[in-house]
């Protein structure tokens, strides 16, 4: 394929409606809760007695309020983690809440959480670990049936789900065997019962893993990626100009250049899979009393570097053994919400007029952003119109009256440019794009 034609085809790869819905959800919570909460472990062994699970003071409305105070718009609960213990009374195992002392075995954390999310007006999703260290079926074909049965329970009994999160971890079961996960079958079930739910998986189809658990987006985060990596996505293009005889089988989610030109040129096809940053508010995914929440500064920077870097942000908050959130975490979430409001709230938004400057080029264009008066500018927010036109911008710069104040790579769903300039005018200079630039929004926020 000719190079320019290939660039245009890469620029035309588009998200599905459910992917746009996920992108717009942006910031949501993970809640890691299981027997580990009572054993102080990160990975349960699978032989924990059900009797240790007793969230005697469970309050999912408090979870939802805390999550909302940070500005999050959804919550994904670990319905089953690697230890195999189910937070709902699954009909397919005895290893669940139904054999715990909590509510005399009549409780259902998934239901309480789903209902609290609904009451609080946020979206609800589930994590169902494919790796199961408890199930006797693990490592055999029967396990895929077992897993699909459990997945069906979650897909059909708890209302609308916005996300189903598949952990890639694949270790040994109690019998020492490893499992071949039948993801095609799991995905078909989700599409059947919850067609609007986005599926998170290392290889697509909807959302891919960013490649680390430290909250780091890459310098250039593309949602348009080789289907050699995200082979569960639909292929939306022809092969790249150097695809013949090429091999991208080495690609992994933690590679730095996913979606960059030096990699997509060799691809046999491209698909759409945005990246999610998943990180815990504390060092561990599960609650450990000795751990402290991360600093406000770290969480704020991670927000800028995820929601503001073309990924979503899935921030984990682990409940305590009582079933409540730790007051230290509740406080940190509130502080984060206040700081976000104080940075990107309506009161900080500067009304501007944006004019495209004629440069004679669609792929290297300039916009003049006129402010009403000289302003201490702290953030510029850019969005490409992904739904209408796909992801196109390769690099850009922003100038204030006092020269170049910011330069960066991709924009995509949303780019937050953290800057410091006192100016009456900004110039946004798109220095490289794959095709004609189509912006959804440009906003300016004052200090
Ligand atoms: C990993 C798991 O092993 C961790 O326990 C945690 O659930 C994290 C989100 O994914 O693969």
């Amino acid at each position: 394929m000719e190079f320019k034609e290939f660039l245009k085809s890469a620029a035309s790869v588009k998200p599905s409606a459910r992917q746009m819905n996920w992108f717009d959800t942006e910031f949501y919570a993970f809640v890691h809760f299981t027997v580990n909460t009572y054993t102080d472990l990160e990975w349960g062994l699978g032989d924990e007695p059900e009797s240790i699970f007793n969230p005697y003071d469970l309050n999912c409305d408090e979870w939802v309020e805390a999550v909302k105070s940070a500005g999050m718009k959804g919550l994904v609960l670990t319905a089953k983690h690697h230890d195999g213990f189910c937070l709902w009374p699954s009909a397919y195992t005895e290893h669940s809440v139904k054999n715990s002392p909590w509510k005399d075995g009549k409780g259902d954390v998934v239901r309480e959480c789903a209902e609290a999310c609904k009451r609080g007006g946020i979206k609800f999703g589930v994590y169902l670990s494919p790796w199961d260290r408890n199930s006797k079926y693990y490592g055999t074909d029967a396990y895929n049936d077992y897993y699909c049965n459990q997945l069906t329970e979650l897909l059909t009994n708890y209302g609308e789900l916005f996300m189903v999160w598949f952990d890639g971890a694949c270790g040994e079961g109690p019998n020492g065997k490893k499992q071949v996960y039948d993801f095609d079958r799991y995905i078909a079930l989700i599409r059947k019962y919850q067609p609007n739910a986005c599926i998170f998986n290392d290889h697509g189809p909807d959302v891919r893993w960013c490649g680390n658990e430290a909250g780091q987006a890459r310098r250039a985060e593309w949602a348009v990626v080789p289907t050699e990596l995200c082979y569960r996505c639909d292929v939306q293009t022809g092969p790249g100009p150097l695809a013949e005889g090429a091999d991208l089988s080495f690609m992994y989610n933690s590679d730095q250049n996913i979606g960059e030109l030096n990699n997509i040129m060799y691809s046999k096809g491209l698909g759409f899979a945005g990246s999610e940053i998943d990180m815990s508010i504390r060092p561990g995914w599960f609650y450990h009393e000795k751990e402290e929440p991360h600093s406000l500064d770290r969480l704020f920077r991670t927000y800028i570097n995820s929601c503001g870097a073309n990924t979503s942000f899935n921030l984990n908050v682990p409940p305590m053994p009582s079933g409540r959130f730790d007051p230290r975490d509740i406080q940190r979430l509130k502080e984060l919400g206040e700081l976000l409001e104080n940075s990107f709230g309506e009161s900080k938004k500067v009304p501007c007029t944006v004019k495209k400057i004629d440069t004679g080029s669609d792929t290297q264009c300039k916009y003049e952003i006129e402010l009403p008066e000289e302003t201490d500018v702290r953030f510029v927010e850019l969005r490409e119109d992904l739904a209408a036109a796909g992801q196109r911008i390769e690099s850009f710069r922003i100038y204030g009256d006092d020269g170049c104040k910011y330069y960066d790579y991709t924009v995509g769903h949303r780019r937050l440019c953290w800057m410091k300039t006192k100016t009456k005018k900004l110039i946004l200079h798109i220095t490289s794009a794959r095709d004609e630039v189509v912006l959804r929004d440009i906003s300016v926020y004052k200090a």
Side-chain angles (χ1 to χ4, degrees), residues 30 32 42-43 78 81-82 127 131 165 167-169 213 278 285-286:
F30 229 164
H32 273 65
E42 276 293 304
W43 283 0
T78 57
H81 202 252
H82 308 330
Y127 164 115
W131 184 20
W165 212 98
D167 198 312
E213 294 178 348
D278 61 326
W285 290 102
F286 288 93

Side-chain angles (χ1 to χ4, degrees), residues 292-307:
E292 291 283 337
H294 296 311
S295 69
L296 178 60
D297 183 63
R298 169 143 188 217
L299 295 178
F300 184 65
R301 283 174 190 277
T302 306
Y303 177 91
I304 306 292
N305 195 30
S306 55
C307 297

Side-chain angles (χ1 to χ4, degrees), residues 25-321:
T25 308
E26 279 200 318
F27 186 25
Y28 42 90
F30 229 164
V31 174
H32 273 65
F33 194 30
T34 183
V35 287
N36 299 349
T37 312
Y38 301 84
T39 56
D40 218 14
L41 291 179
E42 276 293 304
W43 283 0
L45 304 172
D47 59 0
E48 292 80 6
E50 294 83 32
S51 58
I52 62 175
F53 187 83
N54 191 8
Y56 54 88
D57 199 16
L58 183 75
N59 186 339
C60 295
D61 289 310
E62 177 193 64
W63 298 0
V64 170
E65 281 322 302
V67 157
K68 280 168 68 178
S69 78
M72 293 190 249
K73 293 187 270 186
L75 186 159
V76 180
L77 174 68
T78 57
K80 171 179 96 169
H81 202 252
H82 308 330
D83 52 79
F85 181 80
C86 299
L87 295 186
W88 81 103
S90 172
Y92 300 96
T93 180
E94 291 304 306
H95 197 48
S96 84
V97 282
K98 74 182 173 202
N99 288 313
S100 80
W102 177 58
K103 298 198 168 174
D104 293 328
K106 303 269 180 319
D108 182 343
V109 183
V110 178
R111 180 160 319 282
E112 291 200 24
C113 187
E115 288 176 355
C117 288
K118 200 164 180 200
R119 271 194 297 279
I122 64 171
K123 299 173 187 177
F124 177 63
V126 293
Y127 164 115
L128 184 68
S129 172
W131 184 20
D132 187 323
R133 302 177 100 174
N134 175 268
S135 173
K136 61 174 188 261
Y137 303 121
Y138 195 82
T140 70
D141 286 345
Y143 179 76
N144 281 319
D145 297 337
Y146 174 75
Y147 188 87
C148 285
N149 285 334
Q150 294 197 322
L151 187 57
T152 304
E153 290 181 312
L154 294 172
L155 295 171
T156 56
N157 287 322
Y158 298 97
E160 171 103 11
L161 302 177
F162 88 102
M163 190 164 217
V164 178
W165 212 98
F166 286 131
D167 198 312
C170 181
E172 292 177 359
N175 47 16
K177 291 185 187 159
K178 279 205 170 190
Q179 180 70 37
V180 179
Y181 302 140
D182 193 348
F183 278 118
D184 289 341
R185 207 174 138 198
Y186 310 164
I187 290 167
L189 264 188
I190 299 167
R191 296 293 194 236
K192 176 174 171 196
Y193 292 117
Q194 295 276 350
N196 300 325
C198 261
I199 301 171
F200 174 100
N201 181 261
D202 282 357
H203 306 291
D206 299 320
V207 181
R208 67 184 165 86
W209 182 44
C210 66
N212 66 80
E213 294 178 348
Q216 283 157 9
R218 10 182 100 60
R219 56 170 208 177
E221 198 63 68
W222 287 92
V224 178
V225 296
T227 48
E228 281 89 345
L229 176 74
C230 287
Y231 48 79
R232 300 189 206 286
C233 299
D234 293 337
V235 182
Q236 296 191 39
T237 68
L242 299 178
E244 210 181 301
D247 174 20
L248 288 182
S249 59
F250 55 84
M251 277 193 79
Y252 188 58
N253 297 77
S254 50
D255 286 359
Q256 273 310 307
N257 62 347
I258 292 173
E260 288 187 35
L261 279 182
N262 62 359
N263 141 313
I264 65 170
M265 283 187 315
Y266 293 97
S267 174
K268 307 243 176 335
L270 303 174
F272 195 98
S275 141
E276 178 198 271
I277 297 249
D278 61 326
M279 186 181 109
S280 187
I281 195 167
R282 292 152 168 259
W285 290 102
F286 288 93
Y287 186 76
H288 309 287
E289 200 182 350
K290 286 200 185 73
E291 290 182 357
E292 291 283 337
H294 296 311
S295 69
L296 178 60
D297 183 63
R298 169 143 188 217
L299 295 178
F300 184 65
R301 283 174 190 277
T302 306
Y303 177 91
I304 306 292
N305 195 30
S306 55
C307 297
N310 197 35
T311 77
S312 65
F313 186 13
N314 186 356
L315 175 63
N316 180 63
V317 190
M320 303 186 289

